[in-house]
Amino acid sequence: MTTGRAGILPFTGTASPVCTGLVSQGQGWMARRRARGWGRIWRWGGMVLAVLVAIPLILTPVYLVVDPVSVPMLERYLTGRPVVREWRDIDQISDRLKAAVILSEDGQFCRHWGVDLGALRDEVEKLMAGEDARGASTITMQVARNLFLWNDQSFVRKGLEIPLALYIDLVMPKKRIMEIYLNIAEWGPDGQFGAVAGARAAFGIEPQDLDWRTASLLTTALPNPMVRLPGRPSAGMQRIAGIIAARARQYGERAACVGENGQLAL
């Protein structure tokens, strides 16, 4: 091979083995760096997911003996808004309120395992048909949402509610689930949570003193406590309360699982 001027080899159109090796090493290093980056992301994601799964797994048994605070309550605490809640043992809450809530919110509460599969199937069929769906949330699913999830409606949240409700129902007796529900449900527009705060704000009475009228009116507020005020009920609320009271009087034995010694004094 001849050399060019000053002894420099002329360019032949192919890279030298040294250059090719350096490029290959650089590409390999970049690939390994990207792989390590994705690996870190997956590890962190896995750790976050493990923590989120562990929270309800650990706290649900703890809540058998510890009275919980709900996510909406925590949100109000963190944002400096008032929270009014006084815990009350379930046997010190009116049996009429228990029956009214169960017959209105979840008529199969004492029979299912946290999820009403029949109601859920009906809601899925309505959704597939393009009809409005109510959500088929059982009381246990509402407890799961209030303790561990968020309130904005989404299929993701609903999908998480189902296994959480099954787990809660597996760990907790029905009476404890209902006791938690009656003490964390939002029952007023100004941070009232639980039957004690709701009964006092609406009627100025204690929850054990609720009669059929006040118990059923208090129940009508549950779907939207920001707007529905049982202490100043609209004609529509009074009509719904009458239906709830009549149903609870007739089928109150369906709620017996939350009564003292398995019985309700209605």
Side-chain angles (χ1 to χ4, degrees), residues 12 32 65 74-75 112 126 135 150 176 183 250-252 255-256:
T12 62
R32 288 193 297 273
V65 293
L74 286 173
E75 182 183 358
H112 60 59
K126 288 180 182 179
W150 60 95
R176 178 59 175 173
N183 280 283
Q250 184 174 0
Y251 302 108

Side-chain angles (χ1 to χ4, degrees), residues 12 17 26 28-31 37 56 60-61 65 73 109 116 119 124 175 187-188 204 235:
T12 62
W29 178 79
M30 290 296 293
T60 298
V65 293
M73 292 170 65
F109 174 73
D116 189 337
V124 171
K175 192 171 181 179
W187 241 312

Side-chain angles (χ1 to χ4, degrees), residues 2-10:
T2 59
T3 60
R5 197 182 327 182
I8 299 176
L9 289 172

Side-chain angles (χ1 to χ4, degrees), residues 80-157:
R81 291 177 292 169
V83 172
V84 183
R85 198 278 293 269
E86 180 180 315
W87 191 274
R88 186 63 57 86
D89 184 276
I90 190 170
D91 290 332
Q92 298 177 10
I93 296 175
S94 168
D95 284 350
R96 296 179 179 88
L97 180 63
K98 300 168 199 170
V101 169
I102 288 177
L103 269 297
S104 174
E105 295 289 302
D106 183 6
Q108 301 299 317
F109 174 73
C110 290
R111 302 179 183 183
H112 60 59
W113 295 349
V115 177
D116 189 337
L117 296 178
L120 192 63
R121 183 173 55 251
D122 291 342
E123 292 302 301
V124 171
E125 290 176 355
K126 288 180 182 179
L127 189 65
M128 297 298 292
E131 302 175 11
D132 291 335
R134 292 184 56 191
S137 286
T138 64
I139 285 174
T140 313
M141 291 169 70
Q142 294 179 54
V143 167
R145 179 177 71 240
N146 283 324
L147 290 182
F148 304 119
L149 300 173
W150 60 95
N151 278 327
D152 293 340
Q153 292 187 356
S154 70
F155 291 114
V156 174
R157 193 207 72 193

